[in-house]
Amino acid sequence: RKAIAPGERLALTLRFLATGETFESLKFLYRIPAQTIGGIVPETCHAIATVLQDHLKVPSTESQWNEIASDFLMKWNFNHCIGALDGKHVLIRPPANSGSY
């Protein structure tokens, strides 16, 4: 069996991150088993994070986290928040009998 090329691994991972498609759905598009995709995506994400570590900054102290939360509160009026996700759909189920659909 031939190895999966790095370019295809990157394309697969970026497609997953951008669309949120399931591994089961992606296996038909890329003709790669879902179980293999499940290994490729974390490996590729780790490689991206390693290569871009000088450009991706994560706070290292409690005061830095608090400063980000304070800035987020001032700008967006959300308390106890340090950021937001964009481009991902997060399924949230309301509690039973809460009046929400």
Side-chain angles (χ1 to χ4, degrees):
R1 191 194 280 261
K2 290 175 64 176
I4 299 167
E8 190 167 11
R9 289 170 160 263
L10 179 60
L12 170 67
T13 301
L14 293 177
R15 169 73 73 138
F16 170 75
L17 294 173
T19 65
E21 286 187 54
T22 64
F23 295 163
E24 285 295 320
S25 172
L26 289 170
K27 78 178 182 182
F28 298 110
L29 183 62
Y30 288 91
R31 296 182 182 200
I32 298 172
Q35 186 173 358
T36 304
I37 292 172
I40 289 173
V41 169
E43 286 175 6
T44 306
C45 286
H46 179 73
I48 291 169
T50 300
V51 169
L52 297 178
Q53 68 185 354
D54 293 336
H55 303 286
L56 302 172
K57 298 205 176 195
V58 178
S60 57
T61 66
E62 184 177 343
S63 64
Q64 290 174 333
W65 284 107
N66 288 331
E67 183 180 339
I68 291 170
S70 176
D71 290 346
F72 206 88
L73 174 63
M74 295 299 293
K75 186 170 185 175
W76 300 107
N77 200 28
F78 275 99
N79 200 15
H80 305 295
C81 188
I82 57 168
L85 296 175
D86 187 23
K88 277 292 208 189
H89 295 278
V90 179
L91 182 62
I92 299 174
R93 266 191 247 171
N97 303 319
S98 67
S100 298
Y101 292 99

